[in-house]
C-alpha cells in the first residue's frame, strides 16, 4: 500500500546574478522598469511538489504514485523518474502545452525574481483519483486550482484519507473553500506563514483546525515544527544539517518524511523527527532532487540527531 501524490510537476530554471538587484533598479523609475541581468550561472532542475515528494518518498524505500498533468516537453523528466523506478501511470500529458516552468533569478542577497508558467498544470482537474486501487493515503499538494478542489472531493468519496498541503497555492482559495478542504482532509500540513494566512481567511488557528482533523503540522524552517493533535502542540526539534546550501524543496522533503511515518504507523514524535531529518538532508544539496542516501545512512543520522532508533 502506498501514497497517491497529486500536485505539480515542473522544470525549475535557476539563474544567479552575481550582483545586487538594488544596484540596478531605480526606485523612483519602477514605473518605466526595463532591466536586463547577465547571469553567469544557470541550471535546470526537476521540480514541482508531486515530483519532489515522490522523489523523497522513493529514497525512503516506498513506492509513491505521483499524479499530475504534464506537457509535451516532459520527456527528460519522464526518463529521470523512470530511472528511479517511480511509477508513471498517473501522469497525463496534455497536448499543445508545456510542463509547468519556474524561471528564478537570484542575486547575492538571496533576493529572487521569479516568473512562473503553469502550462499543463492548469489541466490538473482532467486527472481523477482512482477508486478500487490499493492506495493507503493521498496528498493534495499545490496544483491547478480546480484540480486541487476536485481531488480533495475525489479522495473523500473514495474513502482514502489524505493530507491537505496547500503550500504556495493557499492564496487561490477563499475561507469557505479552505474550510471545505479541512472538513474533507485527515491531516493538514502548512508552514507558519500559510497557517497565519489560513487563520486570517477562516478564523481557524492550527489549534482549532486540529479539532477537525487527526493532526495539523506547522513547519517553522530552521526552528523545527509543531504538531497539533486535539489542540495540544508537540514541539519537533530540527535535525542538524552538515551544511546549508539550498533550502528550495525542503518542505517537500519534510512532507515525504511525514508520509513515510504515517505509512509505517509511527507516533507523531517519530514522524516529525524523520521529516525534520529529511529537510536537513535536502538543505545540504542544491536543487530539489539531487540528494542521495541509503536507509542505513538515514537511520544512523537519525540516531545521531535524536538518540534512538525508529
Amino acid at each position: 500500500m502506498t501514497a497517491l501524490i497529486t500536485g505539480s510537476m515542473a522544470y525549475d530554471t535557476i539563474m544567479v546574478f552575481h550582483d545586487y538587484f538594488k544596484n540596478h533598479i531605480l526606485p523612483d523609475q519602477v514605473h518605466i522598469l526595463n532591466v536586463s541581468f547577465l547571469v553567469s550561472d544557470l541550471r535546470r532542475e526537476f521540480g514541482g511538489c508531486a515530483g519532489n515528494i515522490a522523489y523523497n518518498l522513493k529514497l525512503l524505500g516506498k513506492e509513491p504514485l505521483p499524479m499530475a498533468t504534464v506537457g509535451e516537453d516532459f520527456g527528460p523528466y519522464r526518463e529521470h523518474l523512470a530511472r528511479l523506478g517511480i511509477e508513471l501511470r498517473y501522469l497525463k500529458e496534455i497536448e499543445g502545452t508545456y510542463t509547468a516552468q519556474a524561471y528564478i533569478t537570484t542575486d547575492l542577497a538571496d533576493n529572487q525574481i521569479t516568473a512562473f508558467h503553469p502550462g499543463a498544470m492548469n489541466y490538473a482537474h482532467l486527472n481523477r483519483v482512482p477508486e478500487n486501487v490499493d492506495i493507503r493515503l493521498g496528498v493534495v499538494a499545490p496544483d491547478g486550482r480546480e484540480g486541487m478542489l476536485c481531488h480533495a472531493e475525489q479522495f473523500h468519496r473514495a474513502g482514502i484519507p489524505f493530507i491537505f498541503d496547500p503550500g504556495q497555492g493557499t492564496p487561490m482559495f477563499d475561507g469557505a473553500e479552505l474550510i471545505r478542504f479541512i472538513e474533507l482532509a485527515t491531516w493538514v500540513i502548512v508552514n507558519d506563514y500559510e497557517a497565519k494566512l489560513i487563520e486570517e481567511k477562516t478564523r481557524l488557528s492550527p489549534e482549532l483546525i486540529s479539532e477537525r482533523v487527526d493532526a495539523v503540522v506547522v513547519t517553522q524552517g530552521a526552528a523545527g515544527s509543531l504538531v497539533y493533535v486535539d489542540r495540544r502542540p508537540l514541539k519537533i526539534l530540527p535535525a542538524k544539517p552538515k551544511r546549508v546550501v539550498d533550502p528550495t524543496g525542503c518542505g517537500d522533503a519534510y512532507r515525504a518524511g511525514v508520509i513515510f511515518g504515517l505509512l509505517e504507523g509511527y507516533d507523531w514524535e517519530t514522524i516529525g523527527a524523520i521529516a525534520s531529518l529529511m529537510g536537513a538532508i535536502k538543505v545540504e544539496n542544491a536543487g530539489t532532487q539531487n540528494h542521495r542516501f541509503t536507509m542505513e545512512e538515514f537511520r544512523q543520522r537519525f540516531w545521531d540527531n535524536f538518540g534512538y532508533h525508529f
Side-chain angles (χ1 to χ4, degrees), residues 182 186 188 204-217 227-233:
I182 292 165
T186 309
V188 175
L204 293 176
S205 64
E207 292 91 341
L208 291 176
I209 295 173
S210 72
E211 294 181 336
R212 304 183 180 211
V213 297
D214 287 0
V216 178
V217 181
V227 180
Y228 294 87
V229 178
D230 291 329
R231 301 190 68 160
R232 294 190 299 272

Side-chain angles (χ1 to χ4, degrees), residues 16 46 134 151 154 160 186 268 279:
V16 179
F46 301 118
D134 191 19
H151 296 152
Q154 291 162 10
I160 300 171
T186 309
W268 276 107

Side-chain angles (χ1 to χ4, degrees), residues 72-113:
E72 293 179 341
D73 58 341
F74 192 66
Y77 203 156
R78 187 182 298 276
E79 293 172 7
H80 164 70
L81 295 174
R83 284 194 300 270
L84 295 170
I86 292 175
E87 175 60 56
L88 306 178
R89 78 181 92 161
Y90 297 118
L91 300 183
K92 180 188 289 291
E93 184 174 308
I94 305 300
E95 185 177 350
T97 69
Y98 290 108
T99 302
Q101 320 240 349
Y103 295 89
I104 306 164
T105 304
T106 303
D107 74 358
L108 294 180
D110 286 333
N111 296 306
Q112 290 187 336
I113 297 174

